[in-house]
Amino acid sequence: MRATQAHINLDNLRDNINIVKQYVKSGTKLCCAVKADGYGHGAVRVSVAALKAGVSFLAVASISEGIELREAGIVAPILSLSLPLKDEIPSLIVHSITPLVFDEEFIDQLNEVAISMHRKIPVHLKIDTGMGRVGCSPEDAKKLAKKITKTEGLYLEGLCTHLACADSLKDDDINYTKNQIKKFNFAVNEIKGEGINPGILHCSNSGAIFLHPDAHFDMVRPGIVIYGYSSCAKELGIKLKPVMEFSSQIVAIKHFNKGETVSYDRTWTAEDDCDIGVIPAGYADGLVRRLSPGLEVAINGKMFPIVGRICMDQCMVLLGKNHEVKRWDKVVFFGPDENCKTAEDLANQIDTISYEILCGVNKRVPRIYIDTGKNK
Ligand SMILES: *Cc1c(COP(=O)(O)O)cnc(C)c1O
């Protein structure tokens, strides 16, 4: 197997899920976001472990992601968070993937196909309370809920919205989130006022789970937090455990003389005689090119800088003059251990978020699962 690997610790995943459970009332359902191949961790393995840990719904971004889970034998409800194309509807129904709906045209199309397939399928009505993405206005929710209940092929199983800045500790953002929750409650009450049961109410992404208990309702939708990250966890003293360790190995150590340069464009010159280690991981593996200069990697618990450009498949690490690094030693880019970086450290370095670093770990990197079952 390749030296460059992603080790996925399912014990840590379960610990993070248990932390979420501590923050919600008992009986609150969990819907774990496993889109983008489980944020790069492998959707099937993450889903199976999460379901065994008591999660009841899974959320994906596309029909094909849902099908992957169904083909792996997963029978739990799967919500599709993005809208399918019209010609994907039959496949959605065949695989029992639950769509979000928020406009009359799509409700009609879905209903028509469901009837033609002799099915009555669950839908969740999505309300846009301020995310500005998918969803109907809170004012239109009542009309659409009524429409759904009158169809032959659909039934209203849930009502949801998505929060735009729920992980922020800034006053302005907290007020914005409170206003989103208020708009959601308005729509819920309007629908209930019509005598319609809105079903499962759900709003909370990871941020809201910790910061906005009044957004928990019947089900929460944790994503990043189950993978061990959250921009607000540190401030709140919540100890999440990163699930992925992204690592490689030193495949060669070469001696450089003062004045010699490393990698494309010769951006780094040896200021002194030194050793350089070659690592077979590059931007095609998810090691974003912009991370160098600045990226440091952990080798035997000590940090060393990546020097020169990160190439597509390889990068180089400065070991210096007096070091104890040996060929084949393990190199950790990020992971759960104390003496290495986290995906959030890497993200901060290039002004992005941990999500993007995790999803960016390419498919060609083998995922290796660690599951001692100690916390099952
Ligand atoms: C991705 C997503 C989530 C999970 O978000 P996190 O910030 O990762 O917790 C929840 N709800 C919807 C609609 C999403 O798209």
Side-chain angles (χ1 to χ4, degrees):
M1 199 182 295
R2 275 190 81 198
T4 303
Q5 304 179 345
H7 290 244
I8 310 297
N9 189 319
L10 297 174
D11 295 342
N12 288 2
L13 180 90
R14 274 189 295 272
D15 281 344
N16 297 329
I17 290 173
N18 287 334
I19 289 176
V20 171
K21 284 186 187 163
Q22 283 165 21
Y23 273 80
V24 298
K25 283 198 298 287
S26 75
T28 309
K29 287 184 166 60
L30 263 56
C31 169
C32 283
V34 296
K35 60 203 186 193
D37 199 26
Y39 290 38
H41 296 66
V44 170
R45 291 295 297 266
V46 164
S47 297
V48 169
L51 290 166
K52 276 199 186 133
V55 163
S56 32
F57 269 70
L58 301 167
V60 297
S62 65
I63 307 302
S64 58
E65 287 185 347
I67 292 174
E68 187 192 0
L69 300 181
R70 289 289 180 242
E71 285 180 345
I74 290 170
V75 295
I78 299 175
L79 271 183
S80 178
L81 300 170
S82 319
L83 278 210
L85 293 177
K86 197 178 169 199
D87 64 11
E88 291 179 294
I89 294 175
S91 173
L92 175 140
I93 296 176
V94 165
H95 294 97
S96 301
I97 295 161
T98 306
L100 302 181
V101 299
F102 56 86
D103 69 287
E104 303 211 14
E105 185 186 3
F106 185 64
I107 290 171
D108 284 336
Q109 286 172 351
L110 205 57
N111 182 41
E112 216 171 276
V113 183
I115 292 172
S116 75
M117 294 171 75
H118 309 288
R119 293 276 300 269
K120 192 169 175 79
I121 68 160
V123 299
H124 290 220
L125 178 60
K126 177 78 181 261
I127 302 162
D128 183 2
T129 56
M131 174 66 185
R133 200 166 65 180
V134 289
C136 65
S137 73
E139 290 73 28
D140 286 345
K142 180 172 77 178
K143 182 181 73 190
L144 292 167
K146 254 193 200 164
K147 184 179 171 75
I148 293 164
T149 55
K150 284 196 186 124
T151 61
E152 224 180 287
L154 314 177
Y155 66 94
L156 186 62
E157 185 190 62
L159 200 62
C160 58
T161 190
H162 192 43
L163 303 169
C165 51
D167 60 354
S168 169
L169 292 153
K170 290 192 194 115
D171 283 346
D172 188 39
D173 290 335
I174 289 171
N175 286 334
Y176 192 85
T177 304
K178 284 190 172 149
N179 195 39
Q180 282 198 267
I181 299 165
K182 201 165 132 195
K183 287 181 177 174
F184 184 67
N185 274 314
F186 163 81
V188 172
N189 290 330
E190 286 244 298
I191 290 169
K192 283 184 177 165
E194 288 292 311
I196 298 169
N197 177 0
I200 306 165
L201 307 177
H202 52 108
C203 288
S204 294
N205 49 10
S206 295
I209 289 168
F210 296 141
L211 289 175
H212 295 278
D214 51 343
H216 290 178
F217 296 96
D218 304 321
M219 179 161 84
V220 294
R221 300 190 306 266
I224 196 72
V225 68
I226 70 166
Y227 305 104
Y229 292 93
S230 153
S231 56
C232 61
K234 215 174 274 163
E235 276 97 334
L236 300 171
I238 301 165
K239 285 217 159 50
L240 298 166
K241 294 183 181 167
V243 172
M244 184 190 296
E245 181 190 76
F246 185 32
S247 68
S248 187
Q249 280 168 270
I250 301 277
V251 289
I253 295 179
K254 306 201 307 174
H255 186 74
F256 275 61
N257 297 316
K258 181 179 173 181
E260 288 185 306
T261 61
V262 163
S263 196
Y264 290 120
D265 308 332
R266 303 188 296 127
T267 57
W268 186 85
T269 307
E271 285 174 4
D272 203 347
D273 291 4
C274 62
D275 279 353
I276 293 279
V278 181
I279 305 168
Y283 59 80
D285 296 298
L287 210 56
V288 178
R289 189 170 173 274
R290 263 181 307 132
L291 284 166
S292 178
L295 179 62
E296 294 194 331
V297 298
I299 306 172
N300 303 323
K302 279 195 198 131
M303 302 309 292
F304 294 88
I306 296 294
V307 290
R309 293 269 196 247
I310 293 172
C311 310
M312 186 183 287
D313 314 305
Q314 302 181 75
C315 61
M316 275 61 80
V317 57
L318 173 62
L319 303 174
K321 239 178 176 170
N322 301 305
H323 64 87
E324 283 158 20
V325 177
K326 295 182 298 299
R327 193 176 197 180
W328 316 125
D329 276 356
K330 183 174 168 181
V331 176
V332 181
F333 301 113
F334 63 81
D337 290 347
E338 298 239 315
N339 48 13
C340 70
K341 303 272 179 190
T342 64
E344 194 157 84
D345 294 330
L346 269 61
N348 288 339
Q349 202 197 311
I350 55 170
D351 198 21
T352 182
I353 52 177
S354 57
Y355 302 64
E356 195 178 0
I357 300 289
L358 295 171
C359 294
V361 176
N362 194 280
K363 280 261 185 202
R364 82 175 182 188
V365 176
R367 267 60 171 179
I368 298 172
Y369 291 88
I370 301 162
D371 189 355
T372 70
K374 68 171 166 30
N375 54 355
K376 257 185 192 153

